[in-house]
Amino acid sequence: MKIKKDKFKDALASIAKEAKVFLPMKGVYASEYRVWDGAGEPFFERNTALPPKELLFPRSERMYEYDLNAGTVTEAAPDEKIVIAGIRPCDVRSVEHLDKVFLESEYTDVYYRARRENLTMIAYGCATPAPTCFCDSMDVVPTDAPGADVVMNDAGNSYVLTVNTPKGEHIRDLISSFLSEGKADDVPAVSCSLKVEKPDDLHKQLIARFDDPMWETLSDACLGCGCCSYICPTCYCFDIGRENRGKTGTAFRCWDSCMFSDYSRMAGGHNPRPTKKERLRNRYLHKLAYFPERYGTSLCVGCGRCIDKCPARLDITNVPDIIQGSESNG
Amino acid sequence: MVEIDHGCKCPGNPLLPQICKVIKITEETPDVKTFRIQTLDGKKPFTPLPGQLAMISVLNVGEAMFSLTAQGDDWIESSIKRVGFLTEALHNLFEGDLVGVRGPYGNHFPTEELKGRDILFVGGGIGLAPVRSFIRHAIAHRKDYGELDVLYGSRSYGDLVFKEDIFDHWPKACNTHITIDIEEDGWDGHVGFVPSYLEEKAFSPEGKAVVLCGPPIMITFCLISLAKMGFSKENVITTLEMRMKCGVGKCGRCNIGSKYVCLDGPVFTMAELEDLPDEQ
Amino acid sequence: MNDNLAKMREAAKRALESGDVGYVIGWGATKFPDKTSPLFMRKPEDAERLVWNEYAIPGIAKYLLDDLYPDKPIGVFVRGCDSRAINRMMKDNRIKRENLRLLGIPCDGKDDERCTICRNRNPLVYDELLWDEAPTPEPKDRYFRANAVEAMSADGRYAYWSEVFDQCIRCYACRNICPACNCKECYVDMTATGFQGKQHSRSDNLIFGVTRAFHVGDRCIECGECERVCPMGLPIMGQTQKILKDINELVGDYESGVDAESENYLGVFDLDDKDEFM
C-alpha cells in the first residue's frame, strides 16, 4: 500500500476530521510533535528535540479538583482522540516502555490509560539517524516499529504503509481514497554510526559496581540540571502538586527529574541522594539496571537526545563502554 | 527466616484521595499528634493490614505518606511528627477538619508467617508508630503468638509516644521495657539508649523474630547489638522511609535499587536490605 | 597537535606532578568531533586527554561551586569568559582566590554565535599565562537580542516572551551553568515555600524566566552559556542584555566580572538611594 507524498497532507486532513493530528514539526526554537494546523510541513530529517511522551504524560496534568467547602474531589478524565503521524521507531519503543509502567505494572494509571487508548501511532521509518543515535544497539530497528499502528517508509515520491493493528486499519479506511496498491521495494537497511557494545548481564554488572569510583568520574561534569530527564522519551518520574485558591483548587502532576536536589529530599532535610554523583548514578542505573530488573528490558531506547543536548556533553553510552572495558579516552 | 509478602493492594484510582474528617486528635508529645480519621459518612476509609501506609493530605497544602498506627471498626489512625510544611499544617488542624486519604499502600508485617513465634518489638522515638499496628494486632490475636516483648525508648519521658499503651494496656499482654536517654526528675524507669538496653536484657534469639523501627543511628547500633546477641538478619524486620509522591511505584523517587519502598516495602527483613544498594 | 594544546597539557601535568593542586579542570574529547566535555584531571597522565580546539566551548568555572572547601587548590584553565565567571563568584563571596590555581589561556574565539559578542578573549585574572595575549576582535552588537526585542511594540513583546517561555521545559540548565546563578540554595528548589510553582504553565514559566533574569541582573558576565545549554534553543540572553543595556545607558560603562572588587549597580543597599520611582 502506498500513498503519494503530494497526497500526504490530504490524507492528514481526512484523519484530522476525527482526531487531533500531531506531526514532528520545526518550531520557532526547537522541533517537537505539534498539532498540525492543516498546512504545516512535517519535519522528518532529524528526530524532534522534545519526545512524544508529552502526549501521553503531559508536562503538567490536572488530576482532580478539590473543594473543601463542599467536601468533594472531582476526577479529571482526558478523552481526546490523538493521532501522531511520523513518530520514529525509537519513540514508539519508548511508548511501549511507558505502557509497562503505567498500564502493565501492579497498578493501572487511569489518566495515562485514557490517553493511551485514544492514541494512534503512525510511525515513520527512520532513514537518517543523527550521529548521536544508537537505537539499533538498543534492539530497535530504525526502519520498523512493531509497536506502532501503522508504519510508513520513504520510497522516493511516495510512502509505503504497513498496517499493524485494528487502529491502523481504521486509519487505512479513513485515507483509502489516497492509497494505491504497491508493495514496498525493499526498504534499505539503516544503521546508526554510534554503536554500543554491552554484555547480556549489563544490569547485574552495574549493580555489582554500585560503589565503584566510576560514578564519580562519570558525574564530574554533570551540572545537575533536568535537561536529560525532560528530553528523554522514557523518563517518567513525576511530582504531584496543587494549585490552591483558598478552600478549592486543583491537584496536578508534572514532570520531575531525579537530577534535582529536591527530588528525594525528605521532610526534615535528609536526602538519600545528596550529590550529583548519587543522582546521576540513580538515573543511569534506573535506565540500565533497575528497569531491566523490574520490567525485563532496558529503559534506554537509543534516541540520543540526552547526548545531543546535555550542556556538559555527558554520554550515557560511556556507561556500557566502561563495563565492556572499551572506554574511549579520545 | 521470615518470608515477607511484597505485594501492595489498593483499589480504584490509586491517586485519587477520599475526603475524610479528623474525628479525634491526641497530643502524644510536644511534636507528635495522633489523628483519628473517618469518612464523611462515618465509615472506615479502608482496612489496612498492619504496617501498611496511607497518603494523607491537607488538600490545600500537600500530601505525604504515613504509616497507619491503629484502626477500629470505623476509623484509622496515624501518628505524625511535626517536621516540615505539611506536617505543620496537619498539626494545625482541629477535630472535624477535612483531610484527603488514599491507600492503603505497600506491603505489611508478616503477621501470618510469625504465628506461633516469639516477637521482640524494638522502637525508638516516633519509630514506634509503624510498629504499633503490629503490636495491637498481636495483642488482639494474643493466642496466635508466643512471648511478646516491647522495648521502647525515647529522648525523654515527654518524648515517649502512646503513653497509655506502653504503660497501661500493653503490659497486660506483653513484657514492656521502656527507657529514656537521659535521667530526669520523676522518672524511676530505665535510663540509657535502646541498643545498650537491648544487650542488657540479653534476649535469647531462640525462636524469636525482631521488629525494629527507629531513627537510622539507633537502627545501626541495634543491628550491631542484635548480631552480638545471636539474631540472624533473616529474623530482623524493619520498615523503611523514603520520600514518596504517588504511592504505587510510578513517580520514581522512593526506589532503593529496583525496589520501590511504597510498593515492595515498607517492610523488609535486614537480610533483604543487605542485598539492595546502600542508599537510604 | 597545536602548540597551545601542548602548553596546556604540560601545564596541567606540571601542576598535578608538583602536588600543588588537587585536580585540574579543562576540556576532554567525546565520541563526537564537534563536542567537548569538561574534563577533570586528577593524575598527571590525565593531562594527555586534554583537548583545545574550536569546540572547547563549555564554561568550566561553575564547577568550582561543587567543591567549596578543597583540600588543595583547584587548577582551572581560564579563558576570558571563565576569568569573568571566577571574578563574579569571588565578588559574590562564593569562592576564594587562594583555593584556585588559574592557568590563563587567551582564547581564539569558538565556533559559537555567542562568542561573536565577546569583549574579553584574554583572561582578566590568572596565576600564569600559557601564551601571549592577542587583541580581542571588535565585537558584534553587544545587545543584539535586546535591540531586537526593544524594537517591538508592548503587545509584540508580550507575544514574543510568551512564545519563548511557552517552550521552556524548566530543566534549569540555564541556571546551573550560569556563574551568576550561584545562590547556595535556589528559590526554585525550595518547593515547599511555593515561591515557584512547579506546574508547567505560561505564568509559572514566565515567573521563572523573569526571576532568573532579574536575579542575575547586573551580574551577568555575557558569556552566553545560558543560551548555549538551552535544549529548546531559547533566546534568553535578551533578558539580561536589556538590563545591562539600561545600566550602560543610564550610568555609563559597565561590565560584570572584569574584576572581583567593583561594586554592582543593582542589588546594592544604600541609605542615600533616592528611590525616585517610589
Side-chain angles (χ1 to χ4, degrees):
Chain A
M1 208 170 12
K2 283 186 175 181
I3 181 168
K4 284 240 173 342
K5 281 186 178 171
D6 58 15
K7 294 287 176 208
F8 182 63
K9 280 193 196 166
D10 295 333
L12 289 181
S14 304
I15 301 170
K17 282 181 190 147
E18 67 168 50
K20 214 174 200 177
V21 175
F22 282 77
L23 275 188
M25 283 160 84
K26 274 188 170 165
V28 182
Y29 303 112
S31 55
E32 62 181 325
Y33 293 94
R34 295 193 143 204
V35 185
W36 185 61
D37 57 3
E41 291 296 323
F43 173 62
F44 287 143
E45 289 74 40
R46 286 284 297 267
N47 207 353
T48 50
L50 269 186
K53 68 177 174 188
E54 164 104 44
L55 301 177
L56 288 165
F57 171 56
R59 289 181 227 189
S60 287
E61 169 163 47
R62 233 177 87 231
M63 293 168 63
Y64 56 86
E65 320 283 336
Y66 55 84
D67 184 338
L68 282 171
N69 296 315
T72 56
V73 285
T74 317
E75 194 177 352
D79 64 349
E80 192 172 44
K81 278 211 176 320
I82 286 178
V83 174
I84 311 182
I87 178 173
R88 289 210 176 188
C90 53
D91 286 344
V92 173
R93 178 60 56 82
S94 78
V95 173
E96 294 171 49
H97 289 342
L98 295 178
D99 286 351
K100 285 188 166 42
V101 175
F102 289 109
L103 298 181
E104 296 159 21
S105 64
E106 294 82 349
Y107 290 98
T108 298
D109 187 279
V110 298
Y111 309 103
Y112 182 91
R113 183 180 59 200
R115 293 179 195 279
R116 183 71 176 89
E117 283 172 353
N118 278 315
L119 174 71
T120 304
M121 292 190 282
I122 304 173
Y124 175 81
C126 174
T128 51
T132 46
C133 287
F134 58 102
C135 73
D136 58 358
S137 298
M138 305 311 281
D139 307 319
V140 174
V141 178
T143 51
D144 195 15
D149 300 297
V150 180
V151 180
M152 60 184 210
N153 275 289
D154 196 312
N157 56 10
S158 59
Y159 297 116
V160 185
L161 303 187
T162 314
V163 170
N164 286 342
T165 66
K167 276 185 189 171
E169 285 163 15
H170 181 66
I171 293 291
R172 182 193 58 202
D173 296 346
L174 280 179
I175 61 172
S176 56
S177 59
F178 307 107
L179 297 175
S180 59
E181 281 304 310
K183 275 228 304 265
D185 311 326
D186 282 338
V187 179
V190 167
S191 176
C192 302
S193 53
L194 177 58
K195 295 288 178 207
V196 181
E197 302 277 331
K198 55 187 195 317
D200 291 340
D201 64 341
L202 177 69
H203 63 287
K204 283 192 185 141
Q205 292 199 42
L206 283 170
I207 288 172
R209 291 174 74 167
F210 187 83
D211 295 314
D212 196 286
M214 70 192 233
W215 302 113
E216 200 123 3
T217 326
L218 282 166
S219 63
D220 268 340
C222 177
L223 287 163
C225 70
C227 175
C228 51
S229 323
Y230 285 176
I231 60 172
C232 174
T234 66
C235 266
Y236 58 82
C237 289
F238 60 85
D239 193 3
I240 294 176
R242 48 210 68 225
E243 209 169 77
N244 193 54
R245 304 260 184 279
K247 293 264 179 190
T248 62
T250 306
F252 63 86
R253 70 167 164 202
C254 59
W255 293 357
D256 203 353
S257 168
C258 57
M259 304 306 299
F260 293 152
S261 62
D262 174 66
Y263 176 75
S264 53
R265 186 172 51 209
M266 290 155 65
H270 173 68
N271 193 338
R273 295 193 271 272
T275 73
K276 61 185 183 182
K277 182 187 94 175
E278 292 86 10
R279 291 176 206 141
L280 188 72
R281 177 176 63 191
N282 185 65
R283 180 165 190 279
Y284 282 164
L285 288 181
H286 186 211
K287 296 276 168 221
L288 303 173
Y290 302 154
F291 198 85
E293 259 196 359
R294 205 169 178 102
Y295 295 103
T297 174
S298 160
L299 188 56
C300 175
V301 297
C303 74
R305 288 184 176 93
C306 58
I307 306 177
D308 188 38
K309 296 293 186 192
C310 173
R313 319 299 201 199
L314 299 194
D315 182 343
I316 191 171
T317 67
N318 288 335
V319 179
D321 282 358
I322 291 174
I323 299 296
Q324 279 294 58
S326 62
E327 186 193 9
S328 145
N329 57 15
Chain B
M1 169 98 184
V2 182
E3 287 289 330
I4 288 187
D5 176 7
H6 290 292
C8 171
K9 293 122 194 132
C10 169
N13 174 358
L15 299 179
L16 192 72
Q18 324 179 40
I19 298 230
C20 292
K21 65 175 179 289
V22 177
I23 54 169
K24 186 179 166 200
I25 298 174
T26 313
E27 199 158 334
E28 303 284 350
T29 76
D31 58 3
V32 177
K33 283 183 179 176
T34 297
F35 299 85
R36 183 168 290 190
I37 296 166
Q38 191 175 64
T39 61
L40 296 182
D41 53 358
K43 298 204 177 80
K44 190 172 181 169
F46 43 76
T47 301
L49 297 165
Q52 279 196 304
L53 309 168
M55 266 295 176
I56 301 180
S57 48
V58 176
L59 279 159
N60 51 3
V61 178
E63 63 182 354
M65 195 69 107
F66 301 97
S67 64
L68 294 167
T69 52
Q71 56 184 307
D73 290 339
D74 55 3
W75 52 266
I76 54 171
E77 223 172 66
S78 186
S79 299
I80 295 169
K81 184 167 174 161
R82 197 177 62 227
V83 289
F85 276 82
L86 173 68
T87 49
E88 179 80 42
L90 280 162
H91 274 243
N92 290 337
L93 294 179
F94 294 100
E95 288 175 2
D97 281 349
L98 301 184
V99 289
V101 181
R102 53 190 181 93
Y105 299 115
N107 69 345
H108 53 91
F109 286 115
T111 47
E112 287 297 310
E113 294 81 350
L114 288 182
K115 273 185 178 167
R117 291 187 57 179
D118 297 345
I119 309 175
L120 166 60
F121 299 97
V122 183
I126 185 69
L128 190 60
V131 181
R132 183 185 183 219
S133 60
F134 193 3
I135 299 175
R136 284 174 56 99
H137 175 90
I139 291 175
H141 303 81
R142 187 65 192 85
K143 62 179 189 330
D144 287 347
Y145 300 94
E147 194 168 13
L148 300 177
D149 283 276
V150 176
L151 190 149
Y152 173 56
S154 213
R155 275 174 304 182
S156 67
Y157 176 78
D159 288 306
L160 292 169
V161 295
F162 314 131
K163 290 195 181 67
E164 269 183 41
D165 284 340
I166 60 176
F167 293 120
D168 303 334
H169 302 148
W170 296 351
K172 291 175 191 145
C174 44
N175 314 315
T176 51
H177 320 274
I178 312 298
T179 181
I180 61 173
D181 290 354
I182 311 159
E183 257 179 88
E184 65 182 55
D185 288 345
W187 174 255
D188 56 0
H190 188 274
V191 175
F193 294 116
V194 169
S196 52
Y197 194 26
L198 202 54
E199 287 189 44
E200 250 174 67
K201 283 282 163 191
F203 295 101
S204 157
E206 197 61 44
K208 205 188 287 294
V210 181
V211 178
L212 174 64
C213 199
I217 188 74
M218 186 203 92
I219 301 262
T220 307
F221 284 100
C222 281
L223 288 176
I224 297 171
S225 301
L226 288 166
K228 266 198 261 180
M229 296 156 70
F231 286 92
S232 70
K233 291 196 156 65
E234 286 77 14
N235 283 309
V236 179
I237 299 152
T238 191
T239 70
L240 295 184
E241 242 192 331
M242 287 285 264
R243 186 163 190 199
M244 298 175 190
K245 287 286 183 175
C246 74
V248 287
K250 304 202 192 304
C251 80
R253 52 181 57 58
C254 73
N255 73 300
I256 297 179
S258 61
K259 301 287 181 206
Y260 289 108
V261 174
C262 68
L263 197 63
D264 307 301
V267 179
F268 294 91
T269 66
M270 281 299 169
E272 289 173 325
L273 291 186
E274 220 170 39
D275 288 340
L276 294 179
D278 182 17
E279 194 172 66
Q280 293 156 44
Chain C
M1 184 167 57
N2 60 50
D3 286 352
N4 289 348
L5 175 57
K7 287 175 187 161
M8 288 169 72
R9 288 185 176 173
E10 178 53 32
K13 190 165 168 245
R14 208 178 335 112
L16 288 160
E17 273 170 352
S18 71
D20 294 343
V21 299
Y23 53 93
V24 178
I25 311 176
W27 297 267
T30 67
K31 291 179 180 174
F32 310 94
D34 60 347
K35 292 179 195 291
T36 67
S37 178
L39 175 71
F40 288 62
M41 293 160 275
R42 295 188 169 84
K43 301 186 294 286
E45 58 266 34
D46 292 343
E48 292 307 307
R49 299 169 58 195
L50 195 59
V51 297
W52 176 245
N53 56 31
E54 66 267 45
Y55 303 112
I57 297 170
I60 50 175
K62 189 71 188 281
Y63 295 106
L64 296 170
L65 293 185
D66 285 344
D67 191 3
L68 293 174
Y69 307 99
D71 298 332
K72 285 180 180 179
I74 304 167
V76 198
F77 286 102
V78 285
R79 303 162 296 185
C81 48
D82 302 309
S83 72
R84 287 178 66 179
I86 284 167
N87 277 333
R88 182 71 262 156
M89 293 190 289
M90 289 200 290
K91 170 67 188 165
D92 293 342
N93 284 322
R94 295 292 277 126
I95 54 173
K96 289 195 164 69
R97 184 68 179 86
E98 63 263 30
N99 286 336
L100 309 175
R101 173 89 186 126
L102 303 178
L103 306 167
I105 46 171
C107 183
D108 43 6
K110 300 299 177 194
D111 181 25
D112 194 294
E113 185 193 9
R114 265 74 63 179
C115 294
T116 60
I117 60 163
C118 176
R119 295 153 61 88
N120 308 85
R121 285 188 174 185
N122 299 310
L124 301 167
V125 55
Y126 53 81
D127 293 304
E128 63 179 294
L129 198 63
L130 299 193
W131 55 81
D132 291 339
E133 295 184 346
T136 301
E138 188 57 34
K140 293 214 175 119
D141 179 7
R142 183 180 177 186
Y143 309 117
F144 68 109
R145 294 249 189 266
N147 287 338
V149 182
E150 274 184 351
M152 299 173 190
S153 65
D155 287 346
R157 283 198 296 275
Y158 182 76
Y160 174 80
W161 287 121
S162 296
E163 184 168 45
V164 169
F165 281 98
D166 283 353
Q167 287 274 297
C168 172
I169 55 173
R170 302 249 300 279
C171 68
Y172 305 128
C174 53
R175 171 196 67 172
N176 289 21
I177 193 70
C178 176
C181 264
N182 57 32
C183 291
K184 281 182 188 158
E185 187 172 16
C186 177
Y187 86 104
V188 159
D189 295 324
M190 301 151 92
T191 40
T193 61
F195 292 152
Q196 173 68 58
K198 213 164 173 175
Q199 180 139 224
H200 275 275
S201 60
R202 180 177 291 179
S203 59
D204 280 326
N205 288 4
L206 281 169
I207 283 288
F208 168 67
V210 169
T211 310
R212 187 195 76 87
F214 274 90
H215 200 200
V216 170
D218 60 338
R219 298 179 306 121
C220 170
I221 61 158
E222 304 169 73
C223 62
E225 283 288 275
C226 49
E227 276 194 22
R228 178 188 66 82
V229 301
C230 179
M232 302 308 289
L234 304 179
I236 47 180
M237 279 171 84
Q239 298 178 300
T240 42
Q241 275 183 3
K242 169 66 177 159
I243 294 170
L244 288 171
K245 184 180 181 197
D246 286 353
I247 292 172
N248 275 273
E249 284 175 356
L250 291 168
V251 298
D253 196 32
Y254 171 77
E255 263 183 290
S256 166
V258 287
D259 59 57
E261 290 80 35
S262 304
E263 278 307 326
N264 302 337
Y265 276 103
L266 306 173
V268 176
F269 179 72
D270 185 350
L271 282 174
D272 297 326
D273 197 329
K274 288 199 187 77
D275 288 348
E276 284 162 330
F277 58 91
M278 290 185 84

